[in-house]
Amino acid sequence: MLNKVFSICEVKLFFQFILLSVTLISCKPELETADLLATTTSDDRYISMKEVHMRVPAGVPTEIFGQTFDQYMAWFDQNMMGQSKATARIAGQDRSGWELLTQEEIMQLIINASSKYPDLSRHPLRANDLARIRKDFPDIKTEQDVDKNGQFIFDYYSDLIKLDIAPELAKRMKAKKGGKMASSLSSNPLENALIAWNPTSAQAVDNARTMIESIIESPSFFGGSGNNDNHNANAFKHAAWNALGVWWIIEFRGNKWVALDKMKMFATAHETVSVCDGCPRYALGYLFDDGYTITGTIPTSDDIAGDRTAMDLHNNMVGRTFMYNEVRTGWFGIVTYRPGFDRILNYLKEYACTSNRKHYRNEVLNYYGNDYGALTDWNYSADYRSTFLVSLPLNNRDGSRNDNRVDDVPCQ
Amino acid sequence: MKNVAVFTITALLLVVSGCISSIDPVETEVLIADFSVPMRKEITSADHRNNMITYWLQGTISEPVTVRVRYKNPTAGNAAGIFTEEIPKGTYAGNDLPSKRQSDYYGRNEELIIEVTAPKSTVGQLRIRFSVQ
């Protein structure tokens, strides 16, 4: 009897071992380079960028550091997708590949890859993370040095994560193009490409989104009603998401200005419905400070889609403007003060409760000189535009009641 | 041995489902030719941190219709649903704007109900493909 029990246990152990192996093999993304990076080798190179001396690990192409969006797109097409003629444009023929991925799978790859690099959101840094940074940046000795060069170090590791996840992204794109998902264009391609290009910022923005989703569903904020669209609680949600996104990018040691810029980029990209060459509708304008133009479309019609887009873009900017006004910086751009979560949430909740205006699309645009470029492209607003949130009127433009609109929720 | 086999098969299924099915968006498609009755369809969103609904319209409608996605088991706070969108009358090609529409982000792993209704007498045919991720 005892022998039988042992034999069953052994069999169970055997299957558990097999199961564990299958789990590890089937779930582990193919991240080829990251493990090698922590160890310096004679093939490493040391270069200076922006007056910072940094290690380029063996096998890492120098060109991946500091790529603009179009450079990244071209690099990805040529080196990952094997295209001889790169489009350098998300709007080109590579678009369907980015559309096939989900944000969730890109974020999962980023989270897996980032665990191999220093956690820059730690204050103070862990000892082994600081040691790794010293190895990668020979001139950086102390945590204060890290703070002084925070944005550069942030970008360096973000670029390495970008490199790590690229082969797996390409593999999945190719597999989905040839598989059952080929007809399923499921995502916002611009958002996906931006996430892959900016892994660390994307993580920060994702942290903010997850946080605000959780907050808005809790009864303590607007009775858990914020996930419905078009009313004051949803306006709060958009503003708080943008403010928290800025907060999180700074937490990862990004600087204030880049934080505002990146948050704007992700928030505006989310409102684009399509990205294409020669779109018949609205050209989104200069989404990036390097002058790269995204020709895309956002809803600009005098209906719910246009109303909602203008409302969301405005409310997003209110959150960024709050952080622009609140965050203080000192020497080397080091952030000396930023508001805590309580202040961010309570301040913006107050806006939603006391400074909420009901506007259609054209009324929102009036505040921006009827210029969609301002609404989509400003990182923040330095004047009265930032002092109120917007939700949608309950009536149609002709004055008739619209039963599909949701009234503002009571503040509680 | 039977227990071992059940354990193993269950565990393998969990591994397979955990590694594959949670990634792809949940998709469904409806074809509406009779607008006199509301169309309702249940769907469970993918197990993602932040879900978003994208949908594409294809066909022609003589009057506006309303597309609404709401929670199957609403609380007092979220009874209004995730979004309600009026689709103007006209012809839709099934690809970019104005055929393609998307929602805000919302919470994860929710049981949802999609509803398409026509407030006025409407003729035409509309195919709507929903992707919930």
Side-chain angles (χ1 to χ4, degrees):
Chain A
M1 184 64 189
L2 196 61
N3 284 344
K4 191 176 176 185
V5 170
F6 267 121
S7 93
I8 288 175
C9 286
E10 283 166 3
V11 170
K12 274 188 176 176
L13 277 174
F14 173 74
F15 275 106
Q16 282 170 345
F17 172 76
I18 296 291
L19 185 62
L20 185 63
S21 305
V22 170
T23 306
L24 291 174
I25 291 167
S26 62
C27 293
K28 183 176 175 288
E30 292 180 12
L31 304 173
E32 294 166 351
T33 56
D35 284 339
L36 304 173
L37 298 177
T39 310
T40 54
T41 74
S42 58
D43 291 332
D44 291 348
R45 289 153 293 156
Y46 289 86
I47 63 170
S48 288
M49 283 183 73
K50 297 180 182 175
E51 299 178 1
V52 179
H53 203 45
M54 68 181 209
R55 181 171 75 102
V56 180
V60 171
T62 310
E63 70 201 74
I64 65 131
F65 294 106
Q67 283 173 319
T68 60
F69 185 58
D70 51 339
Q71 286 169 342
Y72 169 69
M73 294 302 294
W75 172 83
F76 189 90
D77 274 1
Q78 288 180 320
N79 295 280
M80 298 295 132
M81 300 300 283
Q83 292 176 8
S84 56
K85 186 182 177 186
T87 62
R89 299 292 295 266
I90 180 81
Q93 71 265 28
D94 57 340
R95 170 189 167 203
S96 61
W98 291 102
E99 231 168 13
L100 290 171
L101 301 175
T102 64
Q103 284 185 36
E104 181 72 7
E105 65 188 313
I106 304 172
M107 286 309 307
Q108 281 181 8
L109 291 174
I110 289 171
I111 289 165
N112 287 340
S114 63
S115 66
K116 296 168 185 170
Y117 297 103
D119 181 355
L120 298 176
S121 69
R122 295 267 186 163
H123 301 264
L125 289 162
R126 289 179 299 203
N128 58 335
D129 285 345
L130 184 57
R132 169 69 194 270
I133 292 170
R134 284 178 181 147
K135 195 182 288 182
D136 293 330
F137 300 91
D139 296 337
I140 286 177
K141 306 295 182 195
T142 66
E143 180 138 1
Q144 286 69 37
D145 295 337
V146 174
D147 287 335
K148 285 179 193 170
N149 297 281
Q151 185 62 54
F152 192 86
I153 296 169
F154 173 114
D155 289 337
Y156 174 85
Y157 290 115
S158 187
D159 282 337
L160 289 178
I161 296 167
K162 174 184 76 180
L163 177 68
D164 283 351
I165 66 173
E168 181 66 15
L169 290 176
K171 182 181 163 188
R172 293 185 186 197
M173 280 185 198
K174 289 172 186 171
K176 289 186 177 183
K177 275 182 176 176
K180 70 178 179 64
M181 292 289 290
S183 63
S184 169
L185 305 178
S186 58
S187 295
N188 181 323
L190 178 57
E191 264 188 303
N192 285 352
L194 292 177
I195 288 169
W197 176 51
N198 292 273
T200 307
S201 296
Q203 249 185 304
V205 171
D206 191 60
N207 284 352
R209 190 161 45 221
T210 307
M211 189 182 243
I212 194 61
E213 289 291 353
S214 151
I215 289 166
I216 207 70
E217 288 180 354
S218 73
S220 56
F221 275 88
F222 303 99
S225 301
N227 263 337
N228 307 321
D229 217 344
N230 308 337
H231 55 38
N232 57 340
N234 189 259
F236 160 80
K237 178 182 162 184
H238 275 269
W241 171 43
N242 277 253
L244 292 172
V246 172
W247 191 97
W248 271 106
I249 292 173
I250 292 171
E251 181 75 352
F252 279 99
R253 288 183 158 79
N255 75 36
K256 173 182 176 178
W257 308 108
V258 174
L260 289 165
D261 196 42
K262 296 286 186 187
M263 187 61 236
K264 179 259 303 193
M265 183 181 78
F266 282 109
T268 298
H270 179 61
E271 299 301 327
T272 63
V273 172
S274 55
V275 184
C276 56
D277 278 328
C279 283
R281 300 288 286 264
Y282 181 71
L284 191 57
Y286 293 93
L287 196 55
F288 309 106
D289 55 11
D290 59 15
Y292 179 72
T293 308
I294 292 287
T295 308
T297 54
I298 56 173
T300 57
S301 46
D302 276 332
D303 61 12
I304 181 89
D307 289 342
R308 204 172 61 194
T309 301
M311 171 183 72
D312 287 351
L313 288 169
H314 170 84
N315 294 334
N316 290 340
M317 201 185 309
V318 170
R320 297 195 300 272
T321 300
F322 172 74
M323 294 302 275
Y324 162 75
N325 288 324
E326 288 278 311
V327 175
R328 298 276 175 266
T329 57
W331 292 103
F332 305 104
I334 295 173
V335 171
T336 54
Y337 169 78
R338 70 187 152 144
F341 293 146
D342 282 351
R343 174 155 173 78
I344 293 171
L345 297 173
N346 289 330
Y347 198 93
L348 294 173
K349 183 184 175 190
E350 192 67 18
Y351 265 24
C353 295
T354 61
S355 304
N356 183 60
R357 300 181 189 178
K358 293 197 163 291
H359 282 322
Y360 299 112
R361 178 196 69 88
N362 55 311
E363 293 165 332
V364 173
L365 266 180
N366 282 340
Y367 296 110
Y368 299 90
N370 295 310
D371 178 10
Y372 263 114
L375 195 55
T376 58
D377 199 36
W378 286 359
N379 288 355
Y380 58 88
S381 167
D383 59 22
Y384 63 91
R385 298 177 186 92
S386 64
T387 58
F388 60 92
L389 291 172
V390 166
S391 58
L392 293 189
L394 291 174
N395 291 334
N396 295 313
R397 284 177 169 77
D398 62 6
S400 60
R401 170 88 184 177
N402 186 328
D403 292 332
N404 295 321
R405 299 286 170 89
V406 181
D407 205 352
D408 286 343
V409 291
C411 291
Q412 51 183 280
Chain B
M1 281 305 287
K2 186 182 171 189
N3 287 342
V4 173
V6 170
F7 167 79
T8 306
I9 291 168
T10 308
L12 281 172
L13 283 173
L14 283 173
V15 169
V16 171
S17 63
C19 291
I20 297 171
S21 68
S22 66
I23 295 295
D24 290 338
V26 178
E27 301 213 336
T28 191
E29 186 172 290
V30 296
L31 177 63
I32 309 166
D34 177 7
F35 291 92
S36 63
V37 290
M39 189 289 300
R40 284 194 181 85
K41 186 155 188 171
E42 290 188 20
I43 188 168
T44 301
S45 60
D47 188 17
H48 293 174
R49 280 185 300 271
N50 300 289
N51 287 102
M52 181 174 79
I53 298 170
T54 310
Y55 66 99
W56 293 260
L57 306 157
Q58 188 173 17
T60 301
I61 44 176
S62 65
E63 295 293 338
V65 300
T66 301
V67 177
R68 182 183 184 204
V69 179
R70 61 180 173 87
Y71 297 99
K72 184 180 177 185
N73 301 305
T75 62
N78 65 19
I82 295 169
F83 71 87
T84 305
E85 193 157 274
E86 306 121 46
I87 309 298
K89 67 180 180 182
T91 298
Y92 296 92
N95 46 18
D96 288 333
L97 266 175
S99 301
K100 182 183 178 185
R101 287 153 189 263
Q102 65 191 23
S103 76
D104 266 359
Y105 292 105
Y106 66 100
R108 67 188 300 163
N109 210 21
E110 300 278 5
E111 288 186 295
L112 307 173
I113 293 180
I114 296 167
E115 290 177 329
V116 181
T117 53
K120 296 178 185 174
S121 176
T122 304
V123 293
Q125 181 171 290
L126 200 58
R127 184 187 301 276
I128 313 178
R129 185 158 54 86
F130 292 91
S131 172
V132 182
Q133 67 156 316

